Amino acid sequence: MQTSVAPNRLADLLAQKTNLLNIYFTAGYPRLTDTVPILESLARAGADVIEIGMPYSDPLADGPTIQQSSQQAIDNGMTLRLLFEQLRGIRARVQTPLILMGYLNPVLQFGIEAFCQAAAEVGVDGLILPDLPLAEYETEYRPVFQRYGLSNIFLITPQTSEARIRRIDALSDSFIYLVSSASTTGAKAGLTTEQLAYFERIRAMQLRTPQLIGFGIADHASFARACAYAHGAIIGSAFIKLLAASQNLPADIERFVRDVKGA
Amino acid sequence: MQYTVDKNGYYGQFGGAYVPEMLFPNVEELETQYLAICQSAEFQAEFAALLRDYVGRPTPLYLARRLSERYRTQVYLKREDLNHTGAHKINNTIGQILLAKRLGKRRIIAETGAGQHGVATATVCALMGLPCVVYMGEVDMARQRPNVERMRMLGAEVRPATSGSRTLKDATNEAIRDWINHPDDTHYIIGSVVGPHPYPDMVARFQSVISQEVRQQLAAQTGRELPDYVLACVGGGSNAAGAFYHFLDEPGVQLIGLEAAGQGVDTGHSAATTVLGRPGILHGSKSLLMQTPDGQVVEPYSISAGLDYPGIGPLHAHLFTSGRALFCPITDEEAMQAGLLCSRLEGIIPAIETAHAFAYLEKLNAQPHETVVICCSGRGDKDLQTYINWLDGQPVGH
């Protein structure tokens, strides 16, 4: 029986590079057909990892910005089935590691096995499902995820106990999502000295799994600061705000990525 | 068959704790401590004293003579509407505030639909001197205005939930997000038997005083401690959980939960979860859930704000799928007629939520010698405007 994850783009990238920029956007937002153009623009602009949000009506861990983009995407008609259709053939054009982020209920309704199969077929490398409990992952989901070469990405927060961090570290096979503060997404901007002390504490634990820092990362300054403590950082709400305001998505996305990276 | 929660936090296939990592430490803290704290003699003593001296328990079990005559059976009302603040909700908020104090929490948050749970939370926060924030859907704030004012008088801050359908589901989302943003000092007092484990079990235990008293009172009044039927309305299902609790393992007692059919289960304007729902996850637990084929939560509808919820507690999902309890949808029309009838026959104006339970008397066909206990979960003062509009023939609802 095969128990280890097949080496995928995500693991390869993490082994080779630091200062990784992971950008989140909501599928089907601002318009239903924007998913692939945004994804291609991000890849062209040099985003290292792209996180595609699967919109959900009740995103508990998200603040108003991502709630609104999710609702808009649902109103536009976005569904998981449609998302997989949109992503079909994407690997001919985009080699950037892709992550699907979303909540468990739509995935359950799609069917875990069918979902993993569809994700693997279009070339997805990892999954972030914040409301998937660790115990359920271990007993029920992990074998299925592994069969399709999908890496499960866990979150840790300033409140996560050391014992639990160790357990998550042992179960992780790509990166750990280091949530920078006790908050929903987009709630707090910038990084305080208290947060830097928390990053320092995690770094001192010498985990085997690399970490990317998310929540509160919005621009070059916060990105660079986070990169000093981790393998890279994740931007979500700030990018969604850009999409909401943009009149020229490809140009604005290119400029955003360039500015954040400071290139 | 086991009807109470198992050691993993499940009722059959339903329950669990599907929460983002940000909430894990809080839920784990509760899970590891709630039983020890709530079962300690000193907690029990303080809880019992407050229920007696502050809430006014035990509430009467009243033989409703005119309703009994009309339906040719023995109808008993468990008068939870006579509790301080006018509903069963305070049984739970007293318990949870005592727990929050023992956990060292300094700030309380809550969600509310009809406002009864919000008022009950604001009340115990005033009693204990803790700051209180209540999330309430914008739609509900408009249709339950008196309760908004009561909460404010009691010193609570009422924050409108402006997302989604702007009702109970969305208020619950906002309360959970508040908790994510304040993990250290805040306790979230959930008002129903929903949410991640251990909330459904904890709330059911605090509400179980209802059926505990019913058993004793029935024995004293009739010589039989078991009724033939127990009727209770179900939104999330806290009064039903309390009314059913001590009868769960008595197969001779038929338990019946009355859900809000709204304008009718086939109209697209309904909140009848056992009819319209499928297994899914909402607010941290797996249960029956009204949702689209794609797994998006459907916006429910009921004339009654307290039943306007797309899910149901995992205990009730288990009672439904296992067949232990019967669930039946009641339309707005049936509930309003039953509320008006109860007012005129018994001099008791029930909450519209509660009126859904009374409406089932029309369908029950109980025998003259049988005993029907209705959980009269709340009083209807908060609903006067809706009743008046209904009597005037005006459109009601959202």
Side-chain angles (χ1 to χ4, degrees):
Chain A
M1 196 178 90
Q2 191 182 351
T3 54
S4 67
V5 172
N8 67 14
R9 295 169 201 88
L10 203 49
D12 290 348
L13 176 72
L14 288 156
Q16 289 160 14
K17 257 186 95 179
T18 54
N19 294 346
L20 300 178
L21 175 60
N22 174 344
I23 292 195
Y24 166 94
F25 75 101
T26 307
Y29 175 85
R31 291 169 308 176
L32 188 60
T33 53
D34 282 332
T35 312
V36 169
I38 289 173
L39 203 161
E40 290 182 346
S41 293
L42 279 169
R44 207 166 32 240
D48 299 295
V49 180
I50 301 171
E51 191 181 319
I52 306 164
M54 304 178 282
Y56 181 48
S57 56
D58 296 79
L60 287 181
D62 288 300
T65 303
I66 293 178
Q67 285 172 44
Q68 279 154 21
S69 68
S70 299
Q71 193 54 54
Q72 182 65 54
I74 293 167
D75 293 346
N76 290 346
M78 182 45 75
T79 65
L80 276 181
R81 224 163 283 283
L82 180 58
L83 174 59
F84 288 127
E85 268 171 43
Q86 290 182 343
L87 294 178
R88 192 176 299 148
I90 194 73
R91 280 304 178 205
R93 305 187 298 282
V94 172
Q95 289 311 305
T96 312
L98 298 178
I99 293 170
L100 291 180
M101 184 275 165
Y103 292 81
L104 195 51
N105 195 54
V107 174
L108 275 183
Q109 304 310 319
F110 197 91
I112 297 296
E113 180 94 28
F115 172 82
C116 290
Q117 187 176 359
E121 270 170 19
V122 297
V124 168
D125 304 286
L127 303 173
I128 302 177
L129 300 166
D131 56 348
L132 170 59
L134 198 156
E136 266 79 355
Y137 170 70
E138 266 190 288
T139 55
E140 288 176 44
Y141 293 78
R142 193 181 190 207
V144 189
F145 286 15
Q146 291 194 333
R147 208 175 318 133
Y148 291 98
L150 296 167
S151 170
N152 186 54
I153 293 143
F154 292 96
L155 276 55
I156 64 174
T157 81
Q159 278 72 35
T160 309
S161 70
E162 176 163 351
R164 188 167 166 88
I165 293 174
R166 295 280 176 209
R167 193 168 158 214
I168 286 170
D169 188 33
L171 280 173
S172 296
D173 40 37
S174 58
F175 69 88
I176 291 173
Y177 192 136
L178 198 65
V179 176
S180 71
S181 65
S183 69
T184 43
T185 55
K188 295 168 190 173
L191 298 173
T192 63
T193 48
E194 195 185 351
Q195 287 169 284
L196 299 183
Y198 152 60
F199 301 154
E200 198 64 70
R201 169 164 68 83
I202 301 299
R203 190 160 65 178
M205 287 180 71
Q206 301 193 320
L207 303 178
R208 53 178 278 279
T209 314
Q211 304 109 48
L212 300 189
I213 294 174
F215 289 45
I217 314 298
D219 51 21
H220 176 67
S222 47
F223 175 69
R225 240 175 155 190
C227 285
Y229 293 87
H231 234 74
I234 302 166
I235 295 183
S237 297
F239 185 68
I240 297 295
K241 283 180 186 157
L242 173 95
L243 297 181
S246 175
Q247 299 299 322
N248 182 348
L249 285 175
D252 288 342
I253 290 170
E254 195 131 341
R255 187 167 47 245
F256 183 87
V257 172
R258 201 175 54 231
D259 288 351
V260 169
K261 286 195 147 186
Chain B
M1 180 73 75
Q2 182 185 350
Y3 299 111
T4 47
V5 79
D6 69 22
K7 64 178 175 24
N8 297 317
Y10 281 83
Y11 301 84
Q13 60 168 309
F14 301 112
Y18 294 80
V19 295
E21 188 62 31
M22 299 77 141
L23 285 181
F24 182 82
N26 297 48
V27 170
E28 186 189 38
E29 178 185 40
L30 272 180
E31 202 271 326
T32 52
Q33 300 200 44
Y34 84 109
L35 282 180
I37 290 175
C38 298
Q39 290 172 346
S40 73
E42 111 9 92
F43 180 98
Q44 288 283 329
E46 190 175 359
F47 184 50
L50 279 171
L51 287 187
R52 184 187 65 229
D53 303 329
Y54 187 71
V55 175
R57 300 205 74 93
T59 58
L61 183 73
Y62 164 70
L63 175 61
R65 293 190 191 281
R66 296 190 67 200
L67 278 174
S68 296
E69 274 168 29
R70 182 183 175 95
Y71 291 105
R72 297 191 182 82
T73 188
Q74 305 298 309
V75 178
Y76 286 83
L77 307 184
K78 181 57 175 165
R79 298 292 308 276
E80 293 301 299
D81 59 316
L82 293 178
N83 281 323
H84 179 44
T85 71
H88 69 291
K89 292 291 187 185
I90 198 160
N91 301 329
N92 168 48
T93 60
I94 292 272
Q96 285 203 48
I97 197 97
L98 295 179
L99 178 69
K101 276 179 61 185
R102 283 159 177 79
L103 292 172
K105 304 295 179 181
R106 297 179 305 278
R107 176 176 177 270
I108 298 296
I109 55 172
E111 85 296 338
T112 197
Q116 291 303 103
H117 174 59
V119 167
T121 304
T123 298
V124 297
C125 287
L127 181 68
M128 297 297 169
L130 289 174
C132 176
V133 175
V134 178
Y135 290 89
M136 187 169 188
E138 230 176 16
V139 167
D140 294 337
M141 286 180 72
R143 61 178 161 173
Q144 309 278 210
R145 194 82 220 162
N147 273 345
V148 175
E149 298 308 329
R150 286 167 82 194
M151 286 185 269
R152 288 179 177 150
M153 272 190 75
L154 291 160
E157 180 190 344
V158 183
R159 291 189 190 162
T162 57
S163 60
S165 55
R166 293 170 293 140
T167 60
L168 180 53
K169 164 180 86 84
D170 311 286
T172 309
N173 286 343
E174 290 309 320
I176 291 174
R177 291 186 184 117
D178 181 306
W179 208 21
I180 287 174
N181 283 281
H182 301 93
D184 291 328
D185 63 343
T186 298
H187 176 71
Y188 175 20
I189 301 189
I190 294 184
S192 193
V193 286
V194 301
H197 176 68
Y199 277 104
D201 183 52
M202 183 165 73
V203 176
R205 283 168 186 264
F206 290 141
Q207 293 293 0
S208 70
V209 65
I210 299 172
S211 48
Q212 187 186 328
E213 288 176 5
V214 168
R215 280 188 87 129
Q216 294 161 357
Q217 291 166 323
L218 260 190
Q221 292 179 34
T222 70
R224 269 184 72 206
E225 64 177 320
L226 299 181
D228 296 287
Y229 305 94
V230 179
L231 312 187
C233 65
V234 177
S238 71
N239 92 82
F244 294 170
Y245 198 88
H246 290 283
F247 301 117
L248 289 172
D249 294 323
E250 304 286 358
V253 181
Q254 176 67 65
L255 308 174
I256 304 171
L258 290 315
E259 292 186 295
Q263 295 171 7
V265 292
D266 299 323
T267 63
H269 303 279
S270 180
T273 306
T274 63
V275 180
L276 300 170
R278 298 194 314 280
I281 292 167
L282 179 67
H283 298 145
S285 66
K286 191 182 275 186
S287 188
L288 293 171
L289 175 63
M290 290 169 55
Q291 54 188 315
T292 66
D294 199 44
Q296 308 295 347
V297 181
V298 164
E299 293 178 5
Y301 164 81
S302 166
I303 193 172
S304 117
L307 305 184
D308 199 351
Y309 186 70
I312 188 173
L315 161 67
H316 295 299
H318 181 49
L319 295 179
F320 171 72
T321 51
S322 67
R324 173 63 190 93
L326 182 70
F327 289 80
C328 179
I330 299 292
T331 63
D332 289 354
E333 169 84 33
E334 291 168 326
M336 296 303 282
Q337 295 297 349
L340 297 171
L341 185 74
C342 179
S343 304
R344 287 178 189 167
L345 287 186
E346 296 294 343
I348 296 169
I349 301 174
I352 297 174
E353 288 79 8
T354 310
H356 285 70
F358 283 95
Y360 193 70
L361 287 171
E362 290 284 337
K363 311 181 185 214
L364 179 60
N365 280 320
Q367 298 301 306
H369 65 275
E370 289 185 317
T371 305
V372 182
V373 172
I374 299 180
C375 187
C376 189
S377 56
R379 68 182 188 215
D381 306 43
K382 69 183 176 59
D383 295 316
L384 281 186
Q385 195 57 53
T386 310
Y387 275 124
I388 290 164
N389 290 351
W390 182 269
L391 286 169
D392 290 349
Q394 290 173 15
V396 290
H398 282 195

